[in-house]
Amino acid sequence: MRLLFLLAIILFSEQIYSQRLDYPKTHKENVLDTFFNKIVIDEYRWLENINDSICKEWVDQQNILTKNEIKKAAIKHNSNFLIDKYAYVDYDNPIKHKDYYFKLSFYDNFGVPALFVQNSFKDDPTILVDPNFISTKDNILIEDYEVSLNSKYLAYQFSRNGSDWCEIKVVNIKTGIHKDDHLKNVKFSTIAWKDDGFYYSKYPDNGIGKTQGQEVFYHQLGTEQEADKLVFKRANNPDAYFEICTTSDERFFILKEVDEKNSIINVYYIDFQSKTPVLQPLMIKLPIKDDLSILDNNGTDLIAFTRRDGNNGMIIKLNPTNPRIWKTVVPEYSSALLMEVKLLEDKIITVYLSNGKQQIVFFDYQGNELQVIPISFGFSVSGFNGEKTDKELLFSFEGYTKPKMVYILNTQNFELNPLRETVVNFDFKQFKVKELEYESFDGTKVPLSMVYKNEINLNGNNPTLLKAYGGFGVIEKPHFDEGIVHFLNSGGIFAFANIRGGGDKGKVWEIQGRGKNKPNSFKDFIAAAEYLIKEGYTSPDKLAITGGSNGGLVVGVAMTQRPELFKVAVPVVGVFDMIRFENFTVGNVHTDEFGSVKDSVGFTNLYSYSPLHNIKDNVNYPATLIMTSEFDDRVPPLHSYKFAAKLQNRQAQENPILLRVEKGAGHSGAFNSFKSLLKEKSDMYDFILYHLKKN
């Protein structure tokens, strides 16, 4: 009897999904904009008013609909329970700063991650900063922290409800007592200690308006923020932004100004050992393509990363007294991309990417290669945290289906030893990672990683999830995801396409998917889907696509340009209104990535692929779950609201279009508890598996 009842529920839920959903009523406006004699209609401009009560009520109704529909899918696939099972991974991940080890961890299923401290990596950790004591009203997320040179104080940045806006507080590490210092309006900033204070940057609070007018300040401990000393601003170019740091010995302060409008960078410095320690130019009007970043100092010399005259990156040193003379320390390698650099007193640790595989390479300061440690395909290393004088460093190793494992690296003999065993409740050896390469529309070879269970029958009938990012030169490294483990154990295949626009093949690869070349990214992604289908790994009826942020844009473009290729689409915090993206938050500083409607070429390019403006009335688009967050102020949720509204309100749309808005969260999604993270992920996989495994 019980089995018959469950079968009836499943059959009923499938019948419900086959019917057209009753979406929340969404009124249309007739807002017209004209760009270079082209009239653009914006029917859902009112959804840009995300704080308006009418908009909020509409969002609540969308969430109710989505919640009810996901429940029906969860009956069959129970993703929450299974992902929860695979998520219980036991490992240690301490990060060394000065004299202490720190880690951010959940201490129960319902709280936010707290900051723990320990005296050595063998000691038991204790809580140093518990976000639950900062606010009982807001969800608090610790974003970053830095330790003073004397290891006495820790300054940490935290955000409320996932916003990019941050605040800074200071705690005595030994006593755990907070100082009264409390800085606000901090955004896209690092903390750079100098003596009993630190440098940081802030913006005027423009809400979801344009992010402009960054300023750099120095804060002296024990003083009010109003007394902070202004160090630098660029009043005549409010879109310029700054990167700041102090060297590990606090001798130098470095300020890098990025002027994307004029494609230049300016670098300034203070040498605190000079007779007149004032901010002065190091290099002015350097081409932005040179991509110069000061890493640290080695005595009187500055060590830097650059792509000057190259594509894959090299390490150079220069002296502030004659900064235009650059001496190569580690040259560029034509077949290997420089990804990470860690400077020690007597050697340099680097991580390179070559043909999809990472390798750890050690050099001395004369550029001699000392040791190479290869990393298997489908896995990545990161971290290498510790001080320049340490003889042992920690770093982590992980893969799509293998959780992080922390190793102790002996910097003298290059021996590796695990810090402790990582314990999981599944056999990660049952999964296979395959290295592939496919041909895009113009003949370009694009790398593709594919993960599946060893015994799976690759017969073209496998549920497949294809993902990509493809923007801002970001290199997407393999990382553990319990959701992928669940998908693979459900008979699926996971594939990641390293499309142009990302940084996987260096600066040229990035430029080939940027600005006027942005359509290459989307065509690469579509070509990946065609390849998986052509080679018999999957079929259009079994293929789902997903991606976040810029990857959400990629998904939005792919599903509107080639809807027949996909059964399911899950764009996450995506940019969908490319005609108005530069009007909100950081959109104005990303016109180098996407282009601008202010010039005719940019407008034509953006309009040609803007997902919102390429929805056709007569097309039934794939089953779609649009995921965003209530307080996302990097890619405001208005993009997802307008995209969902237009997709839903067409007679031809029979497949479900659902909008899921995470409350009290920002661009990174759910974080306010371990359970909320799992729920967000399980909703996505329930939706995907339900539609891919329907008969």
Side-chain angles (χ1 to χ4, degrees):
M1 187 70 177
R2 177 178 170 81
L3 289 174
L4 289 174
F5 178 69
L6 289 174
L7 181 60
I9 291 176
I10 292 170
L11 290 174
F12 176 72
S13 68
E14 291 183 351
Q15 290 172 359
I16 291 292
Y17 252 136
S18 67
Q19 300 171 4
R20 182 179 171 84
L21 296 178
D22 185 15
Y23 297 111
K25 288 184 169 40
T26 309
H27 73 267
K28 294 183 180 180
E29 297 179 338
N30 198 29
V31 179
L32 304 180
D33 295 311
T34 303
F35 300 89
F36 308 100
N37 298 320
K38 172 71 176 179
I39 296 176
V40 178
I41 302 174
D42 192 346
E43 299 169 311
Y44 302 103
R45 180 74 59 87
W46 64 276
L47 287 171
E48 293 180 0
N49 301 317
I50 59 177
N51 294 316
D52 183 77
S53 60
I54 297 175
C55 181
K56 287 185 175 182
E57 183 180 352
W58 181 85
V59 169
D60 288 341
Q61 292 173 358
Q62 293 282 350
N63 267 344
I64 290 170
L65 173 65
T66 299
K67 182 179 180 180
N68 290 337
E69 295 304 312
I70 294 294
K71 275 184 179 178
K72 297 166 188 174
I75 291 172
K76 190 168 186 180
H77 295 285
N78 201 13
S79 295
N80 192 269
F81 171 79
L82 292 169
I83 292 176
D84 190 12
K85 172 185 172 183
Y86 303 133
Y88 278 94
V89 176
D90 185 20
Y91 71 96
D92 246 351
N93 62 329
I95 296 173
K96 189 167 188 285
H97 287 277
K98 305 300 187 289
D99 294 341
Y100 294 94
Y101 292 81
F102 302 89
K103 63 180 178 181
L104 278 166
S105 297
F106 290 100
Y107 59 84
D108 60 32
N109 288 338
F110 303 100
V112 293
L115 182 62
F116 292 78
V117 63
Q118 53 200 86
N119 292 318
S120 76
F121 53 71
K122 296 179 181 178
D123 291 338
D124 292 329
T126 58
I127 293 179
L128 180 64
V129 180
D130 188 344
N132 292 301
F133 288 99
I134 295 176
S135 174
T136 57
K137 181 182 68 173
D138 298 315
N139 295 319
I140 302 297
L141 182 65
I142 298 174
E143 302 278 2
D144 185 28
Y145 55 90
E146 290 294 335
V147 178
S148 62
L149 187 60
N150 61 8
S151 294
K152 184 175 182 180
Y153 295 112
L154 177 139
Y156 64 94
Q157 286 191 66
F158 64 92
S159 63
R160 297 177 187 266
N161 302 314
S163 172
D164 281 335
W165 292 102
C166 289
E167 302 166 46
I168 298 177
K169 287 192 172 187
V170 180
V171 62
N172 184 303
I173 300 174
K174 187 174 182 179
T175 66
I177 298 174
H178 276 75
K179 293 182 69 64
D180 292 334
D181 304 68
H182 187 181
L183 313 184
K184 298 182 179 181
N185 285 350
V186 180
K187 192 173 188 180
F188 304 138
S189 176
T190 52
I191 297 170
W193 279 96
K194 170 57 182 168
D195 299 330
D196 290 328
F198 52 83
Y199 296 91
Y200 71 99
S201 57
K202 58 181 286 191
Y203 279 95
D205 187 352
N206 296 327
I208 66 167
K210 293 181 179 180
T211 299
Q212 292 179 313
Q214 190 176 26
E215 299 173 320
V216 177
F217 289 87
Y218 178 78
H219 174 74
Q220 181 71 41
L221 293 186
T223 64
E224 297 295 326
Q225 186 174 13
E226 290 74 18
D228 289 353
K229 178 184 176 183
L230 177 64
V231 176
F232 195 87
K233 69 177 182 179
R234 182 67 74 185
N236 62 352
N237 184 9
D239 288 337
Y241 60 91
F242 316 115
E243 300 171 7
I244 57 174
C245 69
T246 47
T247 53
S248 57
D249 60 1
E250 293 188 3
R251 173 173 175 172
F252 294 96
F253 168 72
I254 307 295
L255 188 150
K256 175 180 172 181
E257 177 187 10
V258 182
D259 179 0
E260 293 179 343
K261 181 164 55 176
N262 297 304
S263 297
I264 60 172
I265 56 176
N266 301 314
V267 183
Y268 304 88
Y269 78 105
I270 302 174
D271 182 353
F272 292 105
Q273 292 186 12
S274 70
K275 293 179 181 179
T276 54
V278 296
L279 190 69
Q280 56 187 307
L282 183 70
M283 275 168 288
I284 301 297
K285 294 185 178 180
L286 199 65
I288 201 168
K289 62 182 178 61
D290 284 0
D291 201 15
L292 180 76
S293 294
I294 305 297
L295 302 172
D296 204 350
N297 68 314
N298 187 254
T300 58
D301 291 327
L302 295 173
I303 309 299
F305 166 91
T306 184
R307 296 184 195 270
R308 174 183 277 189
D309 301 324
N311 175 54
N312 290 334
M314 60 181 178
I315 302 171
I316 58 106
K317 70 178 178 180
L318 57 94
N319 194 290
T321 60
N322 202 349
R324 290 286 175 175
I325 297 178
W326 295 4
K327 182 177 180 181
T328 300
V329 178
V330 178
E332 180 191 35
Y333 292 92
S334 60
S335 61
L337 177 69
L338 180 58
M339 298 177 62
E340 190 173 338
V341 180
K342 173 69 176 180
L343 301 177
L344 303 178
E345 267 194 331
D346 60 346
K347 57 179 65 72
I348 302 171
I349 305 175
T350 63
V351 178
Y352 282 92
L353 179 66
S354 179
N355 296 322
K357 301 183 184 71
Q358 289 187 14
Q359 51 183 333
I360 307 169
V361 186
F362 300 82
F363 297 93
D364 61 24
Y365 278 91
Q366 287 70 50
N368 299 308
E369 185 180 294
L370 304 176
Q371 184 78 10
V372 178
I373 301 175
I375 306 298
S376 301
F377 179 79
F379 296 90
S380 65
V381 296
S382 60
F384 296 102
N385 60 85
E387 301 308 304
K388 292 175 74 171
T389 56
D390 288 346
K391 303 307 179 186
E392 290 184 329
L393 300 179
L394 300 180
F395 74 93
S396 61
F397 171 85
E398 64 181 317
Y400 291 115
T401 59
K402 185 171 184 177
K404 275 187 179 180
M405 189 166 185
V406 178
Y407 283 88
I408 305 169
L409 166 65
N410 187 306
T411 63
Q412 302 303 299
N413 59 21
F414 311 112
E415 288 185 356
L416 304 177
N417 291 293
L419 176 61
R420 61 175 287 188
E421 184 179 1
T422 299
V423 180
V424 297
N425 54 13
F426 62 92
D427 181 10
F428 59 81
K429 294 180 181 178
Q430 67 181 316
F431 303 112
K432 180 178 181 179
V433 184
K434 192 171 185 178
E435 179 182 9
L436 298 168
E437 191 176 64
Y438 64 93
E439 192 171 287
S440 192
F441 72 102
D442 58 357
T444 299
K445 300 291 187 180
V446 182
L448 180 74
S449 303
M450 196 165 73
V451 192
Y452 51 89
K453 292 185 77 169
N454 291 329
E455 70 274 12
I456 194 171
N457 182 11
L458 300 176
N459 58 7
N461 197 37
N462 301 294
T464 300
L465 178 60
L466 173 63
K467 187 175 183 180
Y469 183 77
F472 301 95
V474 171
I475 302 170
E476 287 284 308
K477 299 189 293 186
H479 64 277
F480 175 69
D481 187 333
E482 59 274 1
I484 292 177
V485 175
H486 168 52
F487 187 74
L488 301 182
N489 278 331
S490 300
I493 295 172
F494 174 78
F496 191 93
N498 297 102
I499 61 179
R500 280 174 283 186
D504 304 86
K505 288 190 173 183
K507 195 69 177 179
V508 172
W509 194 254
E510 174 186 346
I511 292 171
Q512 288 177 353
R514 172 189 283 182
K516 66 180 181 180
N517 299 320
K518 197 68 185 174
N520 288 339
S521 299
F522 315 132
K523 293 175 182 178
D524 286 354
F525 188 67
I526 290 169
E530 293 174 328
Y531 170 81
L532 291 170
I533 294 167
K534 179 183 176 183
E535 294 300 312
Y537 293 114
T538 191
S539 68
D541 202 44
K542 296 292 182 180
L543 181 57
I545 52 175
T546 191
S549 196
N550 186 85
L553 168 64
V554 172
V555 170
V557 174
M559 64 175 281
T560 50
Q561 288 190 357
R562 295 293 303 278
E564 78 281 2
L565 285 179
F566 314 111
K567 183 71 172 180
V568 181
V570 184
V572 183
V573 293
V575 197
F576 304 117
D577 186 346
M578 300 309 297
I579 303 304
R580 289 179 57 76
F581 83 94
E582 59 191 292
N583 294 328
F584 306 103
T585 62
V586 296
N588 58 294
V589 297
H590 291 329
T591 54
D592 64 321
E593 180 71 23
F594 302 116
S596 172
V597 296
K598 293 177 182 177
D599 67 80
S600 59
V601 174
F603 166 74
T604 301
N605 195 38
L606 288 164
Y607 190 74
S608 71
Y609 68 75
S610 177
L612 181 68
H613 300 93
N614 283 275
I615 297 171
K616 297 179 175 61
D617 288 337
N618 61 348
V619 174
N620 179 27
Y621 292 98
T624 302
L625 175 63
I626 302 165
M627 303 180 72
T628 188
S629 298
E630 179 185 20
F631 296 130
D632 187 350
D633 49 16
R634 193 175 310 174
V635 180
L638 61 91
H639 285 276
S640 294
Y641 298 173
K642 294 170 75 173
F643 192 51
K646 190 165 184 179
L647 284 169
Q648 289 175 349
N649 290 280
R650 296 170 306 106
Q651 288 298 317
Q653 190 61 45
E654 297 179 1
N655 294 322
I657 304 292
L658 300 179
L659 174 66
R660 186 191 190 280
V661 183
E662 185 69 29
K663 295 289 187 174
H667 193 63
S668 298
F671 68 88
N672 52 308
S673 73
F674 186 66
K675 288 295 185 183
S676 67
L677 281 169
L678 291 178
K679 184 65 171 68
E680 183 179 55
K681 190 169 291 188
S682 64
D683 281 358
M684 183 182 87
Y685 281 100
D686 276 334
F687 183 83
I688 291 172
L689 286 167
Y690 179 86
H691 288 283
L692 291 188
K693 301 190 85 169
K694 284 174 69 174
N695 294 330

Coordinates of all heavy atoms in Angstrom, one line a residue, residues 98 146-155 170-171 173 179 181 191-200 217-223 229 245-253 270-274 277:
K98 N 51.8 35.1 10.1 CA 52.8 35.5 11.1 C 53.0 34.3 12.1 O 53.4 33.2 11.7 CB 52.3 36.7 11.8 CG 52.1 37.9 10.9 CD 53.3 38.3 10.1 CE 53.1 39.6 9.3 NZ 52.2 39.4 8.1
E146 N 43.9 40.0 8.1 CA 45.4 40.2 8.0 C 45.9 40.4 9.4 O 45.3 41.0 10.2 CB 45.8 41.4 7.1 CG 45.5 41.1 5.6 CD 46.3 40.1 5.0 OE1 47.4 39.8 5.5 OE2 45.9 39.5 4.0
V147 N 47.1 39.9 9.6 CA 47.8 39.9 11.0 C 48.9 41.0 10.9 O 49.6 41.1 9.9 CB 48.3 38.6 11.3 CG1 49.0 38.6 12.7 CG2 47.2 37.5 11.4
S148 N 49.0 41.8 12.0 CA 50.0 42.8 12.1 C 51.4 42.1 12.2 O 51.5 41.0 12.5 CB 49.8 43.7 13.3 OG 49.9 42.9 14.5
L149 N 52.4 42.9 11.8 CA 53.8 42.3 11.7 C 54.2 41.7 13.0 O 54.9 40.7 13.1 CB 54.7 43.4 11.3 CG 56.2 43.0 11.0 CD1 56.2 42.0 9.9 CD2 57.0 44.2 10.6
N150 N 53.8 42.3 14.2 CA 54.2 41.8 15.5 C 53.3 40.7 16.0 O 53.4 40.2 17.1 CB 54.3 42.9 16.5 CG 53.0 43.6 16.7 OD1 51.9 43.2 16.2 ND2 53.0 44.7 17.4
S151 N 52.3 40.3 15.2 CA 51.4 39.2 15.5 C 50.5 39.5 16.7 O 49.9 38.6 17.3 CB 52.1 37.9 15.8 OG 52.8 37.4 14.6
K152 N 50.4 40.8 17.0 CA 49.5 41.2 18.1 C 48.1 41.3 17.7 O 47.2 40.9 18.5 CB 50.0 42.5 18.8 CG 49.3 42.9 20.0 CD 49.9 44.1 20.7 CE 49.1 44.5 21.9 NZ 49.7 45.7 22.6
Y153 N 47.8 41.9 16.6 CA 46.4 42.2 16.2 C 46.1 41.5 14.9 O 46.9 41.3 14.0 CB 46.2 43.7 16.1 CG 46.4 44.5 17.3 CD1 47.5 45.4 17.5 CD2 45.5 44.4 18.3 CE1 47.6 46.1 18.7 CE2 45.6 45.1 19.5 CZ 46.7 46.0 19.7 OH 46.8 46.7 20.9
L154 N 44.8 41.3 14.8 CA 44.2 40.8 13.5 C 43.1 41.7 13.1 O 42.2 42.0 13.9 CB 43.7 39.4 13.7 CG 43.0 38.8 12.4 CD1 43.4 37.3 12.2 CD2 41.5 38.9 12.5
A155 N 43.2 42.3 11.9 CA 42.1 43.1 11.3 C 41.3 42.3 10.4 O 41.9 41.6 9.5 CB 42.7 44.4 10.6
V170 N 39.0 45.1 14.6 CA 40.3 44.7 15.0 C 40.2 43.9 16.3 O 39.5 44.4 17.3 CB 41.3 45.9 15.1 CG1 42.7 45.4 15.6 CG2 41.4 46.7 13.8
V171 N 41.0 42.8 16.4 CA 40.9 42.0 17.7 C 42.4 41.6 18.1 O 43.2 41.4 17.3 CB 40.1 40.7 17.4 CG1 40.7 39.8 16.4 CG2 40.0 39.9 18.7
I173 N 44.8 39.1 19.2 CA 44.9 37.7 19.0 C 45.1 36.9 20.3 O 44.4 35.9 20.5 CB 45.9 37.3 17.9 CG1 45.7 38.0 16.6 CG2 46.0 35.8 17.7 CD1 46.8 37.8 15.6
K179 N 39.2 45.7 19.8 CA 39.4 47.1 20.0 C 38.2 47.9 19.6 O 37.3 47.3 18.9 CB 40.7 47.6 19.2 CG 42.0 47.0 19.8 CD 43.2 47.6 19.0 CE 43.4 49.1 19.3 NZ 43.8 49.4 20.7
D181 N 38.0 50.1 17.3 CA 38.1 50.5 15.9 C 37.0 49.8 15.0 O 36.8 48.5 15.1 CB 39.4 50.1 15.3 CG 40.6 50.7 16.1 OD1 40.8 50.3 17.2 OD2 41.3 51.6 15.5
I191 N 43.7 44.7 3.2 CA 44.1 45.3 4.5 C 45.7 45.2 4.5 O 46.2 44.1 4.4 CB 43.6 44.6 5.7 CG1 42.1 44.8 5.8 CG2 44.2 45.2 7.0 CD1 41.4 43.9 6.8
A192 N 46.3 46.4 4.5 CA 47.8 46.4 4.4 C 48.4 47.0 5.6 O 48.4 48.3 5.8 CB 48.2 47.1 3.1
W193 N 48.9 46.2 6.5 CA 49.4 46.7 7.8 C 50.7 47.5 7.6 O 51.5 47.2 6.8 CB 49.7 45.5 8.8 CG 48.5 45.0 9.5 CD1 47.7 43.9 9.1 CD2 47.9 45.5 10.7 NE1 46.7 43.7 10.0 CE2 46.8 44.6 11.0 CE3 48.3 46.5 11.6 CZ2 46.0 44.8 12.1 CZ3 47.5 46.7 12.7 CH2 46.4 45.9 13.0
K194 N 50.8 48.6 8.5 CA 52.0 49.3 8.6 C 52.1 49.9 10.0 O 51.3 50.7 10.4 CB 52.1 50.5 7.6 CG 53.3 51.4 7.8 CD 54.6 50.7 7.8 CE 55.8 51.7 8.1 NZ 57.0 51.0 8.4
D195 N 53.0 49.3 10.8 CA 53.2 49.7 12.2 C 51.8 49.4 13.0 O 51.3 48.4 12.8 CB 53.6 51.2 12.4 CG 55.0 51.4 11.7 OD1 55.8 50.4 11.7 OD2 55.2 52.5 11.2
D196 N 51.4 50.4 13.7 CA 50.1 50.3 14.5 C 48.9 50.8 13.8 O 48.1 51.6 14.3 CB 50.2 51.0 15.9 CG 51.2 50.3 16.8 OD1 51.3 49.0 16.7 OD2 51.9 50.9 17.6
G197 N 48.8 50.4 12.5 CA 47.7 50.8 11.7 C 47.7 50.1 10.4 O 48.6 49.2 10.1
F198 N 46.8 50.4 9.5 CA 46.8 49.7 8.2 C 46.2 50.6 7.1 O 45.4 51.6 7.4 CB 46.0 48.4 8.3 CG 44.7 48.5 8.9 CD1 43.5 48.9 8.1 CD2 44.5 48.3 10.2 CE1 42.3 49.0 8.7 CE2 43.2 48.4 10.8 CZ 42.1 48.7 10.1
Y199 N 46.5 50.3 5.9 CA 45.9 51.0 4.7 C 44.7 50.2 4.3 O 44.6 48.9 4.4 CB 46.9 51.0 3.5 CG 48.1 51.9 3.8 CD1 49.3 51.3 4.4 CD2 48.1 53.2 3.5 CE1 50.4 52.1 4.6 CE2 49.2 54.0 3.8 CZ 50.4 53.5 4.3 OH 51.5 54.3 4.6
Y200 N 43.7 50.9 3.7 CA 42.5 50.2 3.2 C 41.9 51.2 2.2 O 42.3 52.3 2.0 CB 41.5 49.9 4.3 CG 40.8 51.1 4.9 CD1 39.5 51.4 4.5 CD2 41.5 51.9 5.9 CE1 38.9 52.6 5.1 CE2 40.8 53.0 6.4 CZ 39.6 53.3 6.0 OH 39.0 54.4 6.5
F217 N 42.9 55.1 2.2 CA 43.2 55.7 3.5 C 44.2 54.9 4.4 O 44.4 53.7 4.1 CB 41.9 55.9 4.3 CG 40.9 56.9 3.8 CD1 40.0 56.5 2.8 CD2 40.9 58.2 4.3 CE1 39.1 57.4 2.3 CE2 40.0 59.1 3.8 CZ 39.1 58.7 2.8
Y218 N 44.7 55.6 5.4 CA 45.5 54.9 6.4 C 44.8 55.1 7.7 O 44.4 56.3 8.1 CB 46.9 55.5 6.5 CG 47.7 54.9 7.6 CD1 48.3 53.6 7.4 CD2 47.9 55.5 8.9 CE1 49.0 53.0 8.5 CE2 48.6 54.9 9.9 CZ 49.2 53.7 9.7 OH 49.9 53.0 10.7
H219 N 44.6 54.0 8.4 CA 43.9 54.1 9.7 C 44.9 53.8 10.8 O 45.5 52.7 10.8 CB 42.7 53.0 9.8 CG 42.1 52.9 11.1 ND1 41.2 53.9 11.6 CD2 42.2 52.0 12.1 CE1 40.8 53.6 12.8 NE2 41.4 52.4 13.1
Q220 N 44.9 54.7 11.8 CA 45.8 54.5 13.0 C 44.9 53.8 14.1 O 43.8 54.3 14.4 CB 46.3 55.8 13.5 CG 47.1 55.7 14.7 CD 48.5 55.1 14.5 OE1 49.1 55.4 13.4 NE2 49.0 54.3 15.3
L221 N 45.4 52.7 14.6 CA 44.6 52.0 15.7 C 44.3 53.0 16.8 O 45.1 53.8 17.2 CB 45.4 50.8 16.2 CG 45.6 49.6 15.2 CD1 46.3 48.5 16.0 CD2 44.3 49.2 14.6
G222 N 43.1 52.8 17.3 CA 42.6 53.6 18.5 C 42.0 54.9 18.1 O 41.7 55.7 19.0
T223 N 41.9 55.2 16.8 CA 41.3 56.5 16.4 C 40.0 56.2 15.6 O 39.7 55.1 15.2 CB 42.2 57.2 15.4 OG1 42.4 56.5 14.2 CG2 43.6 57.5 16.1
K229 N 43.7 59.1 7.5 CA 44.4 60.0 6.5 C 44.2 59.5 5.1 O 44.4 58.4 4.7 CB 45.9 59.9 6.8 CG 46.8 60.7 5.9 CD 48.3 60.5 6.2 CE 49.2 61.2 5.2 NZ 50.6 61.0 5.5
C245 N 49.1 47.2 -1.1 CA 49.8 46.2 -0.3 C 51.0 46.8 0.4 O 51.5 47.9 0.0 CB 50.2 45.0 -1.1 SG 51.6 45.3 -2.2
T246 N 51.4 46.2 1.4 CA 52.8 46.5 2.0 C 53.6 45.2 1.9 O 53.1 44.1 1.9 CB 52.7 46.9 3.5 OG1 51.8 46.0 4.2 CG2 52.1 48.3 3.6
T247 N 54.9 45.4 1.7 CA 55.8 44.2 1.6 C 55.8 43.5 2.9 O 55.4 44.1 4.0 CB 57.2 44.7 1.1 OG1 57.7 45.7 2.0 CG2 57.1 45.2 -0.3
S248 N 56.3 42.3 2.9 CA 56.3 41.4 4.1 C 57.0 42.0 5.3 O 56.7 41.7 6.5 CB 56.8 40.0 3.8 OG 58.1 40.1 3.2
D249 N 58.0 42.9 5.0 CA 58.8 43.5 6.1 C 58.3 44.9 6.4 O 58.9 45.6 7.2 CB 60.3 43.5 5.8 CG 60.6 44.3 4.5 OD1 59.7 44.8 3.9 OD2 61.8 44.3 4.1
E250 N 57.2 45.3 5.7 CA 56.6 46.6 5.8 C 57.6 47.8 5.5 O 57.4 48.9 5.8 CB 56.1 46.9 7.3 CG 54.9 46.0 7.6 CD 54.2 46.3 8.9 OE1 54.6 47.3 9.6 OE2 53.3 45.6 9.3
R251 N 58.6 47.5 4.7 CA 59.5 48.6 4.2 C 58.8 49.4 3.1 O 58.9 50.6 3.1 CB 60.8 48.0 3.7 CG 61.6 49.1 3.0 CD 63.0 48.6 2.6 NE 63.7 49.7 1.9 CZ 65.0 49.7 1.6 NH1 65.7 48.6 1.9 NH2 65.5 50.7 0.9
F252 N 58.1 48.7 2.2 CA 57.4 49.4 1.1 C 55.9 49.4 1.2 O 55.3 48.3 1.5 CB 57.9 48.8 -0.2 CG 59.3 49.0 -0.6 CD1 60.2 48.0 -0.3 CD2 59.8 50.1 -1.2 CE1 61.6 48.1 -0.6 CE2 61.1 50.3 -1.5 CZ 62.0 49.3 -1.2
F253 N 55.3 50.5 0.8 CA 53.8 50.5 0.5 C 53.7 50.7 -1.0 O 54.4 51.5 -1.6 CB 53.2 51.7 1.2 CG 51.8 51.9 0.8 CD1 50.7 51.1 1.1 CD2 51.5 53.1 0.0 CE1 49.4 51.3 0.6 CE2 50.2 53.3 -0.5 CZ 49.1 52.4 -0.1
I270 N 55.9 54.0 -1.4 CA 56.6 54.7 -0.3 C 57.7 53.8 0.2 O 57.4 52.6 0.5 CB 55.6 55.0 0.9 CG1 54.4 55.8 0.4 CG2 56.4 55.7 2.0 CD1 53.4 56.1 1.5
D271 N 58.9 54.3 0.3 CA 60.0 53.5 0.9 C 60.1 54.1 2.3 O 60.6 55.2 2.4 CB 61.3 53.7 0.1 CG 62.4 52.9 0.7 OD1 62.3 52.3 1.8 OD2 63.5 52.8 0.0
F272 N 59.7 53.4 3.3 CA 59.7 53.9 4.7 C 61.2 54.0 5.2 O 61.3 54.6 6.3 CB 58.8 53.1 5.6 CG 57.4 53.2 5.2 CD1 56.7 52.2 4.6 CD2 56.7 54.4 5.5 CE1 55.4 52.3 4.2 CE2 55.3 54.5 5.2 CZ 54.7 53.4 4.6
Q273 N 62.1 53.5 4.5 CA 63.5 53.7 5.0 C 64.3 54.8 4.3 O 65.4 55.1 4.5 CB 64.3 52.4 4.8 CG 63.8 51.2 5.7 CD 64.7 50.0 5.5 OE1 65.8 50.0 4.9 NE2 64.2 48.9 6.1
S274 N 63.5 55.5 3.4 CA 64.1 56.7 2.7 C 64.1 57.9 3.7 O 63.4 57.9 4.7 CB 63.4 57.0 1.4 OG 62.1 57.5 1.7
P277 N 59.9 59.6 3.3 CA 59.0 58.5 3.0 C 57.6 59.1 2.6 O 56.7 59.1 3.4 CB 58.9 57.7 4.3 CG 59.2 58.7 5.4 CD 60.2 59.7 4.8

